[in-house]
Each structure stands twice: as structure tokens, then as C-alpha cells.
């Protein structure tokens, strides 16, 4: 019998957590010394901790709780499915209704001829599917040497061997022998940090053309695919200049390579359209989805593939790939209930037309704060870049992320969940966020920025 409950004192829960629970992307010893914050329940955009504090979750869990917390419909769907058919595989010439229904639903929702769905348990393994799929696709067309995947520095596609390799996170590549062979990276379209004296538009074009240069350098006959997020999420909410995606699309059209759009964060409404590819008018061959697909209520991811790619793979015989939980019936049932709410309550409309414009107006005003150099927002993804010198777009002298971590601490203490990426502060709230909740979010964010400024001045870090 499990004796660990919400009713244990916080310190006891923290001690047990430190003793036995290894956390993702966490310095274990450091966390053990101070104790993790214990989250016990959630409703709407609010989470509650074991001390009874009510915290505004401006990160929607981990960019995923798009419909907000506490929706009974999803709990019902899961319970119903667990009673009827808790598991069956989709490997050996079998299928089941939840997988059929969700695949059909996604084919209907996805733009263009993206009509075929390969299920995974999350985003990392869906991207691993994509890596094997694009290489197998070209091999099936008699071009096995067309195998290199081009990703981007500071892109994020997951932390497994394949997805972590296609991503361009230095910290991930530094551990465990990544990137694996056959994966290369071009620079990201982060104008604030890397644009120098160029206009954002010229910089966007220049960064897109790195793809064309890389294809030329490697030889088109060796390149399988380019993978990118419409807007980089984990990289710090890097909203690309307006020129970037049209130029990337032109390059992909003119060269025989596949385009993989990683929609794990952008998908299901976050950018103000159902998919980020629609916001930027991108025509990918494959889309990766996860997170908002089930609003995080159950683990699920998928690759949504074009007619042509699917036909090639299907006609080539067996694709020797799959996960036990590919098309898990409970996750599929939960995802279907989630999509009913997302569409039925027009949450994309809340981002595009109702709360979204209000949040944009308030968020962009943060640029007037003495610490903030850039305030960027697209739909319900936003970032502020903190700087000691706005005109020079200069980083702090302290090592990157020092000031960000201080700001994150003040957000936390002020019952607002915002993440820091380096010295950028970012949000990605549930798509249900209301205007009064925007006011609370902004008020708490400004307070955290004020306290951060005072603290770094105090410590001599404001330089
Ligand atoms: N692609 C993108 C664009 C993502 O953001 C993944 C793939 C991997 O998905 P899974 O389900 O395997 O985690 C992600 C995940 C952060 C953070 O700190 C972001 C993610 C995951 C963990 C932390 O911003 N994104």
C-alpha cells in the first residue's frame, strides 16, 4: 500500500524526493539541499503547492496544458477507456478505435496533405521516428546516401540520442556522446543576441540562407531533411524575423530535401493558429506533435506525415520501428477529449482574438522596464531579454543565466511560474488565460523584475 500522500509535511515529502527521485534537467545535489517545491493540485491556470500557495502557472506545466488544468471530460475519457480497453498494441496487424479516431482527426486538422499519423509517447521519440523515417524514405527511393539531417544551434527537439542530436543545445551535446553522426547544425534566427548591426529583416534572410549554403557544402544528394521549430521554445522563445520562414520555404522548395516542422510547442493553438506552420505559412513534409495534443493529461506524441512520404514508406515493406505505447488507447482517448475542448471552446480564438491581443499589449509594455531590452510575443509564447545596456543589446558581465536564475527565484517567491533561459524570461500560459489573469501575470512579472533589478544592483551584477 502506498503510504505517501499529499498530507505528509512538506519537509518529509522533500526528503523522500531527494532520497529516491532523480529529476530531469536538474542538478540533483543542489536541489536535494534546498528541497523541491511540491505541487499537489491544479485548476484552470492555477497550481497549488503543499503549503497551500496558489501559483499562476504561466508555463502551462511544461508548455503543454493548453486547455488548462482540472477538466473532468478528460478524466472521464481516460476512465472510460481504461475500463473498456486499457491497452492493446498496434504492431501486429491490429488496431483499435481510439487510435483510428485520433489518426483520422489529426489528418483532418493538419494542413495540406499531412494525412498519415505515426504515434509515439512524446516529442523526443516522435522526433526519433522522424530521423529514422526520413533516412528510410530516401533509402527506399534508392538514395541511401541522402541521410544527413540539418538542425539549428539552440533548437530543441528532445533529449534522446536522436532528438537531442538534431537539437542544437550545447549542454545536451556535452553529455553522452551527442550529436550522433550524420547531423549538422546551422545558426538560429536570434536577432537580439546575434544580429549585430543588421536589420532584423536582413538578418532573417542571412540566417535562412545558411541552409542553402549548408546544402551546397554537403551536396544536395547527401541531405535528407531540415528540422526546425516554427518558433524556438526551449531556446528562449526566439520569434524569427518576418523574412526567415518564407526564405526557408523557398530553399526547401528549390532543393530536394524534406522539411520537418517540430510543432511540439507551437502546435494546437499556441501561436494563434492551430499550428505554427499556419502562422508562418510553412508547408512541411512532416510535423512533430506532442504536449498540447493531450494538454499533458496523458503522454502522447506523433509524426504527421504527407501523402507522398507515407506512400513511399508503406510501399517499401516493413518500417522496422515503433514503441509499445504507439497509439496507446488511453492517451488517444484523452487526446480526442482534449481536441473537443480546444476546438469546441475556440481556445485558438482566445489566443488570436480575445485574450491574446490584450496580453500582447501588456507584454510589449515590459520593454519600458529598465532591465528589459526586448519584449517579444507571438500568440501565447513570449519572452523578455534582460540586459544592463538596452542600446548595445549587451549581455551581463556575470555568466549567462546568473541574472535569469535570480529573476526566476523572484517569480517563484511571488507565486508566478515563469521560466528563464539564460537571461531571457519566458511564458507559455494555458490557452484559457483570461484578461484578469493577464493583469495578475503582468503585475507579478513586473514585481519580480523590480526585485531582480534591486538585487543585482545590490550585488554589483548590474553591468
Ligand atoms: N520538440 C520540442 C519543440 C520540444 O519543445 C520536445 C520536442 C521533446 O518532447 P518530450 O515530450 O520528449 O519532452 C520538446 C520538449 C524547457 C523544456 O525547459 C522544453 C521541453 C521539454 C522539457 C523542458 O523549456 N520541450
Amino acid at each position: 500500500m502506498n503510504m505517501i500522500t499529499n498530507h505528509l509535511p512538506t519537509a518529509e515529502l522533500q526528503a523522500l524526493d531527494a532520497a529516491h527521485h532523480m529529476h530531469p534537467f536538474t542538478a540533483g545535489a543542489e536541489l536535494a539541499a534546498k528541497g523541491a517545491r511540491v505541487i499537489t493540485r491544479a485548476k484552470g491556470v492555477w497550481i497549488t503547492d503543499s503549503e497551500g500557495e496558489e501559483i499562476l502557472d504561466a508555463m502551462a506545466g511544461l508548455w503543454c496544458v493548453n486547455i488548462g488544468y482540472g477538466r473532468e471530460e478528460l478524466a472521464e475519457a481516460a476512465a472510460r477507456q481504461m475500463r473498456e480497453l486499457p491497452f492493446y498494441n498496434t504492431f501486429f496487424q491490429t488496431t483499435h478505435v481510439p487510435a483510428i479516431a485520433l489518426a483520422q482527426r489529426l489528418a483532418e486538422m493538419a494542413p495540406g496533405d499531412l494525412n498519415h499519423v505515426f504515434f509515439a509517447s512524446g516529442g523526443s521519440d516522435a522526433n526519433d521516428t522522424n530521423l529514422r523515417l526520413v533516412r528510410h524514405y530516401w533509402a527506399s527511393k534508392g538514395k541511401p546516401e541522402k541521410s544527413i539531417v540539418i538542425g539549428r544551434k539552440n533548437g530543441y527537439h528532445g533529449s534522446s540520442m536522436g532528438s537531442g542530436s538534431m537539437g542544437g543545445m550545447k549542454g545536451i551535446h556535452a553529455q553522452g556522446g551527442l550529436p550522433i553522426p550524420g547531423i549538422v547544425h546551422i545558426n538560429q534566427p536570434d536577432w537580439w543576441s546575434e544580429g549585430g548591426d543588421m536589420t532584423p529583416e536582413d538578418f532573417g534572410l542571412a540566417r535562412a540562407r545558411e541552409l542553402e549554403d549548408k546544402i551546397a557544402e554537403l551536396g544536395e544528394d547527401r541531405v535528407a531533411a531540415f528540422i526546425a521549430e516554427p518558433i524556438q521554445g526551449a531556446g528562449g522563445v526566439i520569434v524569427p524575423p518576418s523574412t526567415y520562414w518564407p526564405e526557408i520555404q523557398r530553399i526547401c522548395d528549390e532543393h530536394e530535401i524534406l522539411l520537418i516542422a517540430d510543432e511540439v510547442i507551437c502546435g494546437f493553438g499556441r501561436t494563434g493558429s492551430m499550428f505554427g506552420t499556419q502562422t508562418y505559412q510553412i508547408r512541411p513534409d512532416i510535423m512533430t506533435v506532442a504536449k498540447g495534443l493531450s494538454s499533458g493529461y496523458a503522454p502522447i506524441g506523433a509524426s504527421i506525415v504527407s501523402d507522398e512520404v507515407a506512400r513511399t514508406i508503406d510501399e517499401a515493406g516493413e518500417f522496422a520501428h515503433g514503441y509499445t505505447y504507439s497509439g496507446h488507447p488511453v492517451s488517444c482517448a484523452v487526446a480526442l477529449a482534449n481536441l473537443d475542448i480546444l476546438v469546441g471552446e475556440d481556445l485558438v480564438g482566445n489566443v488570436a482574438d480575445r485574450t491574446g491581443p490584450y496580453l500582447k499589449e501588456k507584454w510589449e509594455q515590459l520593454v519600458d522596464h529598465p532591465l528589459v531590452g526586448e519584449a517579444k510575443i507571438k500568440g501565447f509564447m513570449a519572452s523578455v531579454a534582460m540586459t544592463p545596456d538596452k542600446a548595445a543589446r549587451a549581455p551581463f558581465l556575470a555568466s549567462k543565466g546568473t541574472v535569469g536564475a535570480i529573476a526566476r527565484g523572484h517569480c517563484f517567491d511571488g507565486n508566478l511560474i515563469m521560466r528563464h533561459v539564460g537571461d531571457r524570461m519566458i511564458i507559455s500560459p494555458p490557452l484559457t488565460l483570461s484578461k484578469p489573469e493577464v493583469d495578475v501575470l503582468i503585475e507579478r512579472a513586473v514585481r519580480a523584475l523590480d526585485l531582480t533589478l534591486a538585487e543585482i544592483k545590490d550585488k554589483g551584477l548590474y553591468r
Side-chain angles (χ1 to χ4, degrees):
M1 167 85 176
N2 178 10
M3 299 305 290
I4 298 177
T5 75
N6 274 349
H7 306 297
L8 283 181
T10 301
E12 217 167 301
L13 289 167
Q14 288 172 327
L16 287 167
D17 186 69
H20 304 295
H21 180 196
M22 298 177 78
H23 290 248
F25 285 96
T26 298
E30 188 187 315
L31 179 65
K34 71 176 201 197
R37 197 161 187 172
V38 182
I39 307 303
T40 52
R41 60 177 61 84
K43 185 94 188 158
V45 303
W46 298 91
I47 58 177
T48 307
D49 74 7
S50 53
E51 298 293 291
E53 295 289 342
E54 301 249 320
I55 306 156
L56 176 59
D57 182 12
M59 282 307 298
L62 206 45
W63 319 80
C64 56
V65 187
N66 289 18
I67 63 165
Y69 297 95
R71 294 300 300 251
E72 282 295 322
E73 298 92 324
L74 275 64
E76 291 292 333
R80 210 181 313 121
Q81 188 58 47
M82 279 204 188
R83 291 195 180 100
E84 195 167 304
L85 180 71
F87 178 78
Y88 201 72
N89 74 71
T90 53
F91 278 46
F92 307 119
Q93 312 201 346
T94 57
T95 189
H96 48 66
V97 174
I100 297 168
L102 184 59
Q104 190 253 343
R105 184 83 181 262
L106 288 174
E108 217 173 79
M109 289 174 78
D113 67 346
L114 300 173
N115 288 320
H116 309 268
V117 180
F118 195 107
F119 287 113
S121 316
S124 299
D125 50 343
N127 278 324
D128 279 6
T129 297
N130 294 338
L131 176 56
R132 298 198 61 210
L133 192 92
V134 297
R135 288 176 169 173
H136 181 52
Y137 167 85
W138 289 115
S140 302
K141 284 175 141 352
K143 296 179 178 176
E145 69 289 351
K146 229 169 136 53
S147 65
I148 299 174
V149 173
I150 302 174
R152 300 185 301 182
K153 291 177 190 166
N154 201 37
Y156 189 78
H157 303 299
S159 69
S160 58
M161 289 301 282
S163 63
S165 295
M166 292 191 291
M169 294 288 175
K170 279 191 209 142
I172 292 177
H173 290 181
Q175 299 171 352
L178 280 69
I180 56 173
I183 293 170
V184 300
H185 301 86
I186 58 174
N187 284 304
Q188 60 172 337
D190 178 0
W191 176 79
W192 166 264
S193 302
E194 301 172 8
D197 294 335
M198 296 175 92
T199 64
E201 290 73 28
D202 287 347
F203 177 73
L205 280 180
R207 284 290 158 99
R209 286 177 187 154
E210 285 193 19
L211 176 60
E212 199 156 43
D213 294 344
K214 188 56 88 179
I215 294 169
E217 175 197 322
L218 296 165
E220 191 168 325
D221 53 349
R222 293 176 61 220
V223 179
F226 173 60
I227 182 168
E229 308 152 73
I231 296 172
Q232 289 154 263
V237 183
I238 310 299
V239 180
S242 62
T243 48
Y244 182 77
W245 274 112
E247 186 67 359
I248 291 283
Q249 185 63 54
R250 176 194 67 76
I251 294 165
C252 291
D253 288 345
E254 290 180 14
H255 299 274
E256 197 188 34
I257 68 165
L258 298 174
L259 174 59
I260 307 168
D262 186 337
E263 292 266 9
V264 168
I265 285 176
C266 294
F268 305 104
R270 185 153 298 287
T271 67
S273 315
M274 188 56 78
F275 296 100
T277 49
Q278 293 162 325
T279 296
Y280 289 106
Q281 286 153 14
I282 310 164
R283 295 183 306 281
D285 301 284
I286 300 173
M287 250 169 34
T288 323
V289 293
K291 294 195 191 273
L293 170 55
S294 65
S295 285
Y297 282 59
I300 186 167
S303 306
I304 313 180
V305 175
S306 74
D307 289 337
E308 203 273 323
V309 171
R311 194 182 320 113
T312 303
I313 297 292
D314 285 345
E315 288 173 2
E318 179 182 324
F319 179 36
H321 179 79
Y323 308 109
T324 299
Y325 299 135
S326 288
H328 192 286
V330 177
S331 295
C332 288
V334 169
L336 284 161
N338 171 63
L339 296 178
D340 283 345
I341 289 174
L342 193 78
V343 174
E345 298 180 7
D346 188 27
L347 296 182
V348 186
N350 192 45
V351 177
D353 308 320
R354 297 193 296 277
T355 300
Y358 185 69
L359 175 63
K360 180 174 158 69
E361 182 196 325
K362 299 278 166 182
W363 188 265
E364 286 177 342
Q365 286 168 9
L366 291 175
V367 81
D368 297 332
H369 192 278
L371 252 189
V372 174
E374 178 188 65
K376 278 278 189 190
I377 178 161
K378 193 84 177 176
F380 272 18
M381 293 175 82
S383 62
V384 291
M386 296 185 291
T387 175
D389 183 345
K390 297 185 188 218
R393 309 207 303 269
F396 294 96
L397 288 182
S399 66
K400 191 174 166 185
T402 306
V403 175
I406 291 171
R408 194 257 317 260
H410 287 301
C411 290
F412 227 59
D413 294 344
N415 285 348
L416 170 66
I417 303 282
M418 277 214 278
R419 235 166 87 25
H420 81 102
V421 175
D423 297 317
R424 297 179 86 91
M425 301 306 296
I426 63 181
I427 59 163
S428 166
L431 309 190
T432 54
L433 193 75
S434 66
K435 289 179 186 173
E437 287 162 346
V438 169
D439 292 339
V440 177
L441 192 166
I442 296 292
E443 185 190 303
R444 291 186 183 181
V446 169
R447 183 169 162 72
L449 287 167
D450 288 345
L451 291 168
T452 303
L453 181 61
E455 181 174 339
I456 65 176
K457 277 184 172 165
D458 230 38
K459 291 184 168 161
L461 295 171
Y462 188 49
R463 28 190 204 107

